[in-house]
Each structure stands twice: as C-alpha cells, then as structure tokens.
Amino acid sequence: DAGVIQSPRHEVTEMGQEVTLRCKPISGHDYLFWYRQTMMRGLELLIYFNNNVPIDDSGMPEDRFSAKMPNASFSTLKIQPSEPRDSAVYFCASSLWTSGVDTQYFGPGTRLTVL
Amino acid sequence: TQLLEQSPQFLSIQEGENLTVYCNSSSVFSSLQWYRQEPGEGPVLLVTVVTGGEVKKLKRLTFQFGDARKDSSLHITAAQPGDTGLYLCAGAYNNDMRFGAGTRLTVKP
C-alpha cells in the first residue's frame, strides 16, 4: 500500500489567494482526519470524517476553512481567502477503527506558506 | 490549554544516555498512543496502551500507562542518534484522538 498521499507537498501563495490541499487515504480506512501543525500550537485536529461524513469540525479555525470528502478515496481542505497566519504544515491521516482502538496513519504533509 | 501536557518540551542528550519523557492529563483516556515524527514527515505510531498500569517494551523503548489512565511515560535506554525526533502522545477522547505538543529529542553522537 502506498500509504496516505497528500498533494502538493509544498505550497507558497500570496495572502488572499485560494488554497486547496488534497488527500488520498489508505484504501479501506473509514476515518479521515485533517490536522495543522505549527511550532507554537503543536498538532491540532481541524476536522474528521467517518465514512465520508464530517463528524466534528469544531477545530476548523474559521469560515475561511472548509473540507470535503466526496468519496472514500479523496478529501480536500480549502482555505479561501488565505492569510499569513495560516502558514503551517497540514497533515491528513486515515484510520480503521478496530476494537475501540484507532491507529492513525499520517501522510507526509503539505507545507503551506502564505506571504 | 493542551488536553495532554508533555514534558520536557526539549531534550538534548549524548548517545548512550537514558531518558524518560512524560505525558500527563487530568482526563481519563480509553487508550493512549505514542508517535514519533521525523523532520519532513508525518507522525508514525510506536505503541498503543489500553490498560491502566500496562507496560509495553519495544526494543530499547519502554512505555507505561498510568494506573488511572491519565498519564503515560516513555523511557529510552541507551539512546542512539536514530532516536532523534519529535515524540507525541495522543489520547482517545470523545471518539477522536487528541495530541500533546510533543517532546523534541536530540541525541548527539
């Protein structure tokens, strides 16, 4: 298995532009998570899906952030308009909930820089 | 305020030394995990502990889950430069996982 795939690996954009991050989870996994990691705040959960349905988006910072999962093999995280404070590494992770224990498999991340 | 507090935040030691890092909370977790993250990569799961008082060993790494399932520790024996990385603990909380801020470990040759 190729693992969780994220694209792009790096994104540099200017303030005000729309940014779309993409994720392909591991086949067969029923949970998908989006995280943001910064030195100041560590790894923050933004939103997660179960069977393509958003379950908890309380971590999404504000309305500029939106996430979709149109099918079991694809998810997007969109920021519109982007701001410099959105600069961070964004991780996607997927898991298969088994016997009450959740092992998350992370992608390599997208490093976003907003100028 | 982090749900899980990790300490120390940074740790720099010489190869061959032993170390312990901690993960503490006031909340009870049904399970707790430790991940290691290397630069430019995502976190990778090391271990899951589910029973209070449980001890798991993974080569030179020893993981312990507190009796009350509120805290955990990771002990590394004879650290090696390959152990360098960010160590994150994560607790199962309200149907999702919450991560601590991590301990950044540097092992110097």
Side-chain angles (χ1 to χ4, degrees):
Chain A
D1 199 318
V4 175
I5 299 172
Q6 291 187 248
S7 64
R9 290 295 309 274
H10 302 274
E11 177 81 35
V12 180
T13 191
E14 293 187 346
M15 182 174 63
Q17 296 297 307
E18 177 179 296
V19 175
T20 300
L21 311 181
R22 297 172 175 80
C23 175
K24 176 179 169 55
I26 293 173
S27 177
H29 281 189
D30 55 355
Y31 281 83
L32 184 140
F33 305 81
W34 281 101
Y35 291 90
R36 177 173 67 177
Q37 187 175 42
T38 62
M39 286 295 293
M40 290 296 294
R41 302 175 67 90
L43 194 63
E44 300 175 278
L45 176 65
L46 300 177
I47 185 172
Y48 75 94
F49 297 81
N50 177 220
N51 292 322
N52 313 337
V53 176
I55 302 301
D56 184 354
D57 65 354
S58 59
M60 296 285 260
E62 47 198 273
D63 292 345
R64 296 185 297 106
F65 286 69
S66 62
K68 294 182 180 180
M69 192 166 185
N71 57 64
S73 59
F74 184 66
S75 177
T76 60
L77 178 67
K78 186 176 293 186
I79 308 172
Q80 166 64 16
S82 59
E83 297 182 2
R85 60 189 167 129
D86 302 330
S87 297
V89 181
Y90 290 81
F91 287 101
C92 174
S94 70
S95 71
L96 179 65
W97 193 273
T98 306
S99 302
V101 177
D102 174 31
T103 298
Q104 296 190 19
Y105 295 84
F106 284 77
T110 295
R111 181 173 295 277
L112 173 65
T113 303
V114 183
L115 303 174
Chain B
T1 304
Q2 293 276 354
L3 187 64
L4 287 160
E5 297 289 339
Q6 291 192 244
S7 61
Q9 188 176 358
F10 298 95
L11 185 58
S12 181
I13 60 172
Q14 292 294 134
E15 182 177 4
E17 292 183 4
N18 301 331
L19 66 113
T20 302
V21 298
Y22 301 92
C23 175
N24 295 294
S25 177
S26 58
S27 299
V28 176
F29 298 97
S30 57
S31 65
L32 195 140
Q33 298 178 324
W34 285 91
Y35 289 77
R36 181 169 68 206
Q37 184 179 15
E38 298 186 17
E41 299 181 7
V44 176
L45 180 69
L46 296 174
V47 76
T48 300
V49 285
V50 296
T51 305
E54 182 176 2
V55 176
K56 280 193 174 179
K57 293 191 175 184
L58 189 67
K59 296 184 180 178
R60 294 176 295 101
L61 278 60
T62 301
F63 304 85
Q64 185 161 6
F65 200 13
D67 291 341
R69 290 186 288 127
K70 293 182 178 181
D71 55 87
S72 181
S73 64
L74 159 59
H75 181 80
I76 301 179
T77 303
Q80 298 177 0
D83 296 327
T84 292
L86 178 67
Y87 288 81
L88 296 160
C89 67
Y93 185 82
N94 287 348
N95 296 320
D96 64 66
M97 298 296 290
R98 298 300 172 100
F99 283 80
T103 292
R104 194 167 295 277
L105 171 66
T106 302
V107 182
K108 301 175 184 176

